Amino acid sequence: MITAGVDVGAKTVKIVVLRDREVVATAKDLSGFDQAKVASELLAQALEKANVTQGDLAGICSTGAGRKIVSEATHSVTEVSAGAKGSLFINPDVRTVIDVGAEEGRAIRCTEKGKVEDFAVNEKCAAGSGAFTESMARALEVDVAELGKLSLGSDASVPMNAQCAVFAESEVVSLLHAETPKQDISKAIHDAIASRITSMARRIGLNKEVLVIGGVALNVGFIRSLNEAIEMDVIVADDPEFVNALGAALIAAERAN
Amino acid sequence: MAKYKTEPLKCWAKAKELRDKYYQDYATAHERGGIRWTGGAWSFDAIPYGLGDDVYPITGEPYAASIAFNKEFSLKCMEATEAKGWARDLCSYMRNYWGSMYLNKYNFGGPYPKPTFAFQDHICCSHAKWYQVVAEHEDIPYFNIDVSVGPYHLIKDNPQKIKYIVDQMHESIEFLEKVTGREYNDDKLIEAVKTDMRSTSTWAKICELNKNVPAPLEEKSMYSFYVFGTLSKAKKEFADFYDELYDEVKDRVDRGIAAVANERCRLMSDTQPPWGFLKVFRYLEKYGAISVGSLYTFGLVGNWEVKKDGTWGARETYMEKGIEINTRDEALTALADWTLSRPEWQHFYDPGLKTEMMLRIAKEWKLTGVMLHLNRGCEGLSTGIMENRLGLVESGIPVMTFEGNMGDEREFDLGRTMTRIDSFMETLDLEPISAD
Amino acid sequence: MFSKFEEWYRDRHDYARAWKEKSSGKVFGCFCSYVPEEILVAANILPVRVLGSHEPQDVTEPHLFGMFCPFCRDVLAQGLKGRYEYLDGITLAQSCIHLRQAYRSWEQHVDQPFSYYLPHPMSVQSPAAVPYLREELENYKKAVEEFTGSKITNDDLDRGIRILNENREAMHELYKHRIGPEPKLSGKEAMWVTVSSTWIDKEEHTAEIRRVLKLIEEREMDRECGAKLMFVGSENDDIEFINMVESVGATVVVDDHCTGTRYFWNSTADDMNDRIEAIAKRYVERPACPSKDHPVRTRFPHILKLAKDFDVQGVILIQQKFCDPHEADMVPLRKYLEENDIPCLFLEFDVTVPLGPFRIRVEAFLEMVGEEDLF
Ligand code: SF4
Ligand code: SF4
């Protein structure tokens, strides 16, 4: 059986095509202004890569903030269900999923069957999402990938007012003025976001294994700070950005049965 | 095919008419030589009725909620309050109310009708401060009764707690006589206290009917009715209206009339809803889900007690019990005792008490889950809410939270909230019955 | 000269543990400055005010909704992290809703043998307040007696009252040295003294103030006084912040904080037959927390008098984010002070304050205050 998962996020669209629970193609692009169009074109590309046509598909499940605009979708689920499903598929021992995307952070607690027991979402707070690292990287005048690596070089713990992204930005500027080494500032930034995410995740309880998904999982500085904050080692998903799309494709397969 | 029969409520028109009349009566009280006063939904509104039959209150919370419902005006009110320098995270009812006062605009037309005095209770930090500011701005006298003496179960063995309140009540009557120049009438007070008991116990009886499956009422319509208990508990017309409403809802139950045709998942909410976005409750129907009430709708107005069989029912009034109220002191003591037992007053001291009551509701009203509104607009009712969440979850009840603000729409995100509901429904294995 | 106080401020937990060992007495954590310490001292209990640690933390979100003040969250974090594991009991005196939640969550999730919620009148201006509080204090006294297993006699209460009053007197004497063109201690030093007084054995603390008082006349300050400022507002024990303010050309000479003058300003009458009533009166009549300051605003003239007596050039209004009681006072307070020719700078505090951005604001404020001086 062939199915597809389409994850229309705030910044990017991700697609996973599955054949008999095996990934046969993925695709990713910026969502741009016309998300519906991007999603359609990207889906076509992914199907082409997989060498199948839309008619071959047993189902298409959309997820993400823009899940309702995908006209091709036969089903649609929220990121919570998709994230849990994809994560358990990757690693059946996962009980806690931490999903940090461009605009939102989420924590999901699930059973061994992949059923969601509880979840928490970071409310309207930029300090717990990818947007935060991006604006901080701008303030430090480095790119995001570099920001993460920089912080690995620091063991300092410079406390930062993590409550509010606006203040954090001016704080970074004054730390720069005070000639605090960039790597220490970078560490402070990642500690701050890790602290926000940990706070939220503690609401639902942190049980082993903890899998981190979403684009920010690629940031090594964040992962290191997160490990320190939750006092255990998290697992980072391979291709963390695609886990929700993968979960959606799995759900499409289940529903088709 | 719908699972249950539904019917619109007959009481609607009457409710609307009564509510409009309340606000008009307040505005025009002076033309008729009457008294108008301002205060909170928690105020002992029975006490000013001892000044005569022409006494008209306006209570801040429902008035502010009506402003919040009127989004454009609400935004102006908020901005007027912010322009004076007040913090944006203060109680959003208070900010709406102040804004209406600063702009000198009444939400029901015309200028803001200046009250003769302010008469408030204090259990939430914002209570006393709210009317302190009103009294200063309007240059009117102000009396406030502190009722924060602890939860009811500790009051029975500590008569000094009731005495503290009754002492202040006596003092307040002297205040009322002084600022109005009227002679106080104890018979009218006694009548008002009895009416308060009648309306608040009837409201509990109405809520109790929602234990039935299917529920005859959904929370969104309950908001339109419980409001009378926040406008004035001691007003005869309102108590009479609750009697009528009870009969109608009882009849619905007898005939199996449902509020939501496809009821299959019963929920409760918590704290005041975001008033500008009641469509959230309609959204639930898509899943066959219904909010059958909340501790807030049941227990802010209703008086309850544990019955012989261990379940919750309306508290028996003094009249039902045959306890006589003959003097001012007896009336005030009865009023204090009655009021302090109200459920929504308990959790101010201990979230454990609220969790217990919520678990009780979950069981007796046969709930599947709970939606907690993390309400940034109200520090009072959000007190301890995260502990409530933990307590419910630990007892195995699915809980979803959504952040918002009852009176400041800038702090509410409808799209995200609906997504949150979608996720929650997914975790309950419910798929939509109907399209959006 | 103030190094002992600095050490006490810094090593508060070591002190309490050592005290316990030495005296084999009990230690109670006090939530809020309205806890009647006279009764605890009478029972040979060491009252320690529970404060935060000004570190970012991630443990309170499951318990406390983010709309409540950072101070109460910081307090709860200390409990959840086990920093106060030596406490034998805790007591909350009722004031604001925020701290109340920290107390309830602490009570539920941190082990301690004794916990007491002390209802406390909010209408302190009502004649009903003293008799009511008197009864509540009687109940509290009974609960403490039951817990310790020994009666608190009138003599004990007299001792408790005396010990507290002596400390208050000594504090007043010390504060007198902050008056005049050359204050004899900095605001930071005063903060070490005042804040540590909320957890150090009062007799020991008083003795240390007395020691300092003998030397202070002769003290040569090695810093310029600069502009004389007052702090007013929510709970504040932030040393880094006051240090920053005093490093840019100012000295803080007085305050109105619950961790400052409000804590020690008035004494308990020692000549009343009914000791408990005397204590009740003291807590009803003390400089009010804004949550209890109604219907009349008694705080404002009191603050103005302090500002005048200590001859301050400006006031920094400090408010913990989301602190409703102070938010409800800030607007009229600022107006009141400015109408009385006292310029104000308003700052919103979090667990940690962004020193950089705040420094810029304080400097600008000082320039403004300085300019006014020229004319
Ligand atoms: S915060 Fe809530 S309880 Fe307090 S006054 Fe406002 S609406 Fe009422
Ligand atoms: S008075 Fe303000 S700072 Fe103090 S605990 Fe209450 S809310 Fe927090």
Side-chain angles (χ1 to χ4, degrees):
Chain A
M1 185 188 348
I2 306 167
T3 57
V6 184
D7 175 7
V8 186
K11 264 192 78 188
T12 52
V13 179
K14 280 88 48 179
I15 293 185
V16 169
V17 183
L18 279 186
R19 180 197 296 265
D20 299 332
R21 293 170 67 83
E22 190 106 17
V23 178
V24 288
T26 62
K28 180 186 144 186
D29 202 354
L30 294 175
S31 356
F33 291 114
D34 190 349
Q35 289 179 323
K37 187 157 161 259
V38 173
S40 292
E41 287 172 7
L42 201 61
L43 180 63
Q45 271 177 40
L47 294 179
E48 203 180 304
K49 260 200 239 171
N51 234 332
V52 293
T53 65
Q54 210 170 310
D56 299 331
L57 294 179
I60 300 174
C61 180
S62 63
T63 187
R67 69 189 179 286
K68 293 198 173 141
I69 54 126
V70 183
S71 53
E72 294 86 349
T74 50
H75 307 280
S76 123
V77 295
T78 65
E79 300 94 311
V80 172
S81 303
K85 188 62 74 186
S87 298
L88 266 284
F89 179 79
I90 292 173
N91 183 334
D93 296 328
V94 168
R95 295 295 169 270
T96 309
V97 180
I98 292 180
D99 179 358
V100 191
E103 297 217 315
E104 228 177 44
R106 273 179 295 273
I108 307 163
R109 188 178 78 217
C110 38
T111 65
E112 67 249 27
K113 296 209 178 90
K115 183 160 171 33
V116 176
E117 272 189 329
D118 202 355
F119 65 97
V121 181
N122 220 356
E123 307 271 353
K124 281 194 273 175
C125 173
S129 70
F132 183 67
T133 42
E134 274 174 26
S135 69
M136 294 300 115
R138 266 198 308 279
L140 271 186
E141 294 173 336
V142 297
D143 67 53
V144 183
E146 207 185 317
L147 185 74
K149 286 193 207 112
L150 259 179
S151 80
L152 296 185
S154 163
D155 277 319
S157 91
V158 184
M160 196 161 71
N161 187 332
Q163 294 290 329
C164 164
V166 181
F167 258 141
E169 195 156 348
S170 63
E171 223 180 319
V172 165
V173 174
S174 39
L175 287 171
L176 276 173
H177 287 161
E179 285 170 15
T180 313
K182 273 194 183 180
Q183 58 207 50
D184 292 351
I185 303 179
S186 166
K187 172 86 173 1
I189 291 166
H190 292 106
D191 285 350
I193 169 169
S195 162
R196 284 298 309 150
I197 295 291
T198 306
S199 269
M200 171 191 67
R202 285 197 199 284
R203 268 163 70 167
I204 58 157
L206 281 156
N207 301 323
K208 275 204 158 208
E209 299 289 335
V210 180
L211 183 81
V212 189
I213 65 173
V216 182
L218 293 168
N219 179 326
V220 287
F222 166 66
I223 296 296
R224 177 219 173 164
S225 294
L226 185 64
N227 282 335
E228 287 175 8
I230 68 173
E231 293 165 329
M232 52 173 116
D233 284 337
V234 299
I235 306 171
V236 179
D238 294 336
D239 300 323
E241 291 170 281
F242 286 94
V243 179
N244 286 338
L246 169 67
L250 288 163
I251 290 172
E254 279 172 16
R255 300 249 168 115
N257 273 331
Chain B
M1 249 302 277
K3 210 163 145 193
Y4 302 111
K5 255 201 315 194
T6 57
E7 254 176 35
L9 282 149
K10 294 190 206 79
C11 277
W12 271 124
K14 178 86 180 276
K16 187 172 177 328
E17 186 194 308
L18 274 177
R19 186 173 154 276
D20 292 348
K21 184 166 178 299
Y22 172 90
Y23 286 113
Q24 283 319 316
D25 278 351
Y26 172 76
T28 57
H30 284 184
E31 293 161 25
R32 286 168 285 129
I35 289 175
R36 56 188 184 213
W37 63 271
T38 186
W42 307 65
S43 293
F44 291 111
D45 68 284
I47 297 178
Y49 282 123
L51 291 170
D53 296 331
D54 54 353
V55 172
Y56 300 94
I58 186 168
T59 48
E61 295 90 335
Y63 175 61
S66 74
I67 295 175
F69 195 75
N70 181 354
K71 288 186 196 163
E72 218 175 292
F73 182 50
S74 174
L75 193 60
K76 286 197 187 119
C77 289
M78 294 290 176
E79 284 168 359
T81 301
E82 278 153 31
K84 294 267 179 195
W86 298 103
R88 257 176 91 152
D89 51 88
L90 281 166
C91 165
S92 63
Y93 278 169
M94 185 163 86
R95 287 183 292 132
N96 271 313
Y97 182 105
W98 287 351
S100 157
M101 172 181 84
Y102 290 139
L103 294 170
N104 194 23
K105 281 210 173 86
Y106 195 42
N107 193 30
F108 303 93
Y112 182 78
K114 180 176 164 156
T116 314
F117 59 86
F119 189 72
Q120 170 70 323
D121 269 13
H122 185 86
I123 193 170
C124 164
C125 292
S126 301
H127 279 157
K129 302 306 260 187
W130 181 333
Y131 295 93
Q132 185 172 42
V133 172
V134 172
E136 283 164 355
H137 182 80
E138 300 278 13
D139 196 18
I140 53 170
Y142 170 35
F143 199 93
N144 174 57
I145 298 177
D146 172 25
V147 295
S148 51
V149 293
Y152 191 62
H153 69 95
L154 295 178
I155 287 172
K156 280 175 257 153
D157 309 323
N158 290 289
Q160 90 276 1
K161 288 178 188 280
I162 292 275
K163 185 173 177 299
Y164 169 53
I165 295 168
V166 173
D167 283 352
Q168 295 177 73
M169 288 171 157
H170 278 293
E171 212 190 305
S172 81
I173 292 178
E174 285 167 33
F175 162 87
L176 291 175
E177 288 187 315
K178 201 173 111 213
V179 302
T180 62
R182 289 195 183 185
E183 201 180 319
Y184 195 78
N185 183 326
D186 288 337
D187 292 335
K188 290 196 192 303
L189 167 71
I190 293 167
E191 219 22 67
V193 168
K194 289 180 178 169
T195 308
D196 178 319
M197 289 182 176
R198 176 160 67 99
S199 67
T200 52
S201 95
T202 311
W203 176 251
K205 285 184 191 135
I206 295 167
C207 298
E208 204 185 340
L209 291 172
N210 248 16
K211 287 182 179 176
N212 287 291
V213 180
L217 293 174
E218 47 101 22
E219 195 170 21
K220 184 169 174 289
S221 24
M222 293 176 90
Y223 290 139
S224 313
F225 302 132
Y226 97 111
V227 70
F228 295 108
T230 68
L231 296 173
S232 177
K233 295 172 185 63
K235 194 174 177 69
K236 188 171 169 304
E237 285 96 316
F238 293 173
D240 293 346
F241 175 73
Y242 278 170
D243 285 341
E244 253 177 74
L245 179 63
Y246 175 81
D247 291 341
E248 184 181 349
V249 180
K250 178 80 181 41
D251 175 61
R252 284 168 79 90
V253 171
D254 293 345
R255 294 187 296 120
I257 304 297
V260 169
N262 288 305
E263 172 183 319
R264 59 174 178 166
C265 166
R266 294 160 67 93
L267 305 171
M268 73 169 152
S269 72
D270 189 46
T271 84
Q272 309 88 325
W275 290 112
F277 301 92
L278 292 181
K279 56 174 102 123
V280 167
F281 289 90
R282 285 271 168 268
Y283 190 71
L284 293 173
E285 288 177 25
K286 171 176 146 182
Y287 291 94
I290 171 179
S291 177
V292 298
S294 58
L295 185 67
Y296 168 68
T297 34
F298 295 175
L300 181 68
V301 168
N303 267 54
W304 300 80
E305 67 190 358
V306 179
K307 297 292 181 188
K308 281 210 188 71
D309 64 358
T311 66
W312 242 15
R315 181 174 169 187
E316 262 193 340
T317 62
Y318 279 40
M319 296 78 81
E320 286 163 336
K321 279 188 159 161
I323 305 174
E324 291 209 9
I325 305 174
N326 292 317
T327 64
R328 179 185 293 186
D329 194 60
E330 279 170 15
L332 297 178
T333 308
L335 182 62
D337 166 72
W338 181 258
T339 309
L340 288 168
S341 75
R342 203 162 289 139
E344 194 69 290
W345 293 48
Q346 314 310 316
H347 78 269
F348 276 87
Y349 310 102
D350 187 350
L353 297 172
K354 180 166 164 187
T355 305
E356 238 173 68
M357 292 188 283
M358 292 177 103
L359 287 170
R360 168 186 288 284
I361 295 175
K363 189 164 153 236
E364 293 177 24
W365 274 257
K366 308 168 191 80
L367 305 186
T368 315
V370 179
M371 293 168 48
L372 297 177
H373 178 206
L374 302 179
N375 182 354
R376 288 194 168 266
C378 173
E379 52 153 339
L381 301 196
S382 297
T383 298
I385 195 162
M386 294 307 280
E387 290 293 356
N388 300 138
R389 186 194 158 280
L390 272 185
L392 291 166
V393 168
E394 274 161 18
S395 303
I397 296 182
V399 181
M400 75 160 254
T401 58
F402 65 104
E403 243 180 67
N405 191 311
M406 65 199 175
D408 188 344
E409 66 157 337
R410 296 168 300 184
E411 287 200 297
F412 182 74
D413 188 324
L414 184 64
R416 279 192 174 191
T417 305
M418 291 191 177
T419 298
R420 195 69 59 84
I421 292 174
D422 290 338
S423 296
F424 188 53
M425 293 295 138
E426 285 167 16
T427 68
L428 298 176
D429 292 325
L430 291 174
E431 278 184 49
I433 297 176
S434 56
D436 292 300
Chain C
M1 185 176 274
F2 290 91
S3 56
K4 188 82 208 163
F5 296 105
E6 182 185 4
E7 181 195 318
W8 280 340
Y9 179 96
R10 193 183 52 229
D11 304 327
R12 57 192 81 170
H13 301 304
D14 294 341
Y15 175 85
R17 274 187 285 263
W19 183 92
K20 219 172 140 164
E21 202 146 294
K22 180 178 73 194
S23 69
S24 58
K26 301 212 181 303
V27 183
F28 271 24
C30 300
F31 289 67
C32 187
S33 58
Y34 277 93
V35 176
E37 292 182 28
E38 286 85 344
I39 295 176
L40 296 177
V41 173
N44 296 313
I45 291 168
L46 176 69
V48 303
R49 173 102 193 252
V50 180
L51 298 179
S53 67
H54 303 284
E55 299 156 291
Q57 52 83 14
D58 53 34
V59 294
T60 60
E61 195 168 315
H63 308 283
L64 253 171
F65 178 26
M67 72 179 279
F68 295 100
C69 86
F71 167 65
C72 74
R73 279 180 276 149
D74 199 3
V75 163
L76 177 59
Q78 305 312 305
L80 295 174
K81 289 179 164 180
R83 301 251 170 90
Y84 282 90
E85 46 38 69
Y86 51 83
L87 292 182
D88 300 288
I90 54 172
T91 297
L92 171 91
Q94 174 171 292
S95 54
C96 77
I97 280 177
H98 298 240
L99 195 56
R100 194 178 303 175
Q101 293 178 78
Y103 164 78
R104 281 302 185 194
S105 291
W106 184 307
E107 175 184 55
Q108 195 184 337
H109 302 285
V110 185
D111 265 345
Q112 62 274 309
F114 178 89
S115 173
Y116 198 94
Y117 181 114
L118 176 64
H120 210 284
M122 303 306 286
S123 282
V124 289
Q125 296 171 15
S126 162
V130 171
Y132 169 57
L133 181 58
R134 196 205 161 280
E135 295 299 315
E136 291 291 357
L137 294 185
E138 277 292 354
N139 292 343
Y140 183 56
K141 177 171 150 266
K142 260 184 231 130
V144 173
E145 285 171 343
E146 257 165 49
F147 177 66
T148 59
S150 49
K151 273 244 160 283
I152 300 172
T153 64
N154 270 346
D155 284 348
D156 293 332
L157 287 171
D158 286 341
R159 182 168 41 84
I161 292 171
R162 176 180 53 76
I163 289 173
L164 263 293
N165 281 348
E166 282 171 0
N167 189 254
R168 290 165 183 151
E169 263 161 49
M171 291 296 302
H172 270 278
E173 280 177 48
L174 184 68
Y175 266 52
K176 285 203 187 102
H177 293 279
R178 304 176 76 180
I179 302 177
E182 286 298 325
K184 291 290 186 187
L185 64 161
S186 68
K188 177 172 75 177
E189 288 165 336
M191 187 178 269
W192 283 329
V193 180
T194 320
V195 174
S196 68
S197 81
T198 68
W199 57 68
I200 299 298
D201 179 291
K202 289 287 186 297
E203 287 180 289
E204 210 176 326
H205 193 267
T206 307
E208 182 63 13
I209 303 179
R210 294 271 164 225
R211 188 191 68 79
V212 165
L213 283 171
K214 283 203 197 104
L215 308 171
I216 203 158
E217 264 330 330
E218 309 304 318
R219 190 182 198 206
E220 290 291 332
M221 292 300 278
D222 55 3
R223 58 188 295 281
E224 290 285 316
C225 171
K228 294 203 283 179
L229 300 181
M230 177 178 188
F231 280 2
V232 174
S234 312
E235 191 279 337
N236 171 26
D237 56 90
D238 196 321
I239 290 286
E240 277 192 57
F241 174 75
I242 199 168
N243 198 31
M244 179 276 281
V245 171
E246 296 194 319
S247 72
V248 293
T251 299
V252 179
V253 294
V254 70
D255 71 83
D256 180 71
H257 284 310
C258 62
T259 34
T261 59
R262 284 214 295 280
Y263 174 64
F264 69 80
W265 205 249
N266 66 337
S267 336
T268 307
D270 55 9
D271 55 357
M272 281 174 66
N273 208 7
D274 185 339
R275 275 78 165 173
I276 297 294
E277 189 183 334
I279 298 171
K281 247 171 99 61
R282 191 264 164 192
Y283 286 89
V284 163
E285 288 168 4
R286 59 161 263 194
C289 162
S291 70
K292 295 179 192 267
D293 201 32
H294 43 77
V296 179
R297 295 194 193 266
T298 62
R299 282 183 77 214
F300 294 9
H302 170 71
I303 290 168
L304 182 63
K305 183 163 187 315
L306 286 181
K308 292 243 157 91
D309 290 350
F310 285 79
D311 191 23
V312 307
Q313 285 154 276
V315 168
I316 300 190
L317 296 170
I318 291 170
Q319 186 207 290
Q320 292 274 336
K321 211 174 166 148
F322 308 129
C323 163
D324 297 278
H326 283 276
E327 283 176 348
D329 268 16
M330 279 303 173
V331 173
L333 175 59
R334 182 174 193 149
K335 190 162 159 257
Y336 177 85
L337 290 173
E338 286 175 350
E339 277 167 6
N340 282 283
D341 298 324
I342 298 177
C344 297
L345 170 70
F346 172 82
L347 292 175
E348 196 176 63
F349 268 39
D350 211 316
V351 171
T352 52
V353 301
L355 285 178
F358 277 11
R359 175 179 296 117
I360 297 167
R361 295 192 208 174
V362 172
E363 281 171 344
F365 180 62
L366 290 176
E367 277 168 22
M368 191 185 96
V369 170
E371 268 166 27
E372 279 179 6
D373 249 17
L374 295 175
F375 302 103

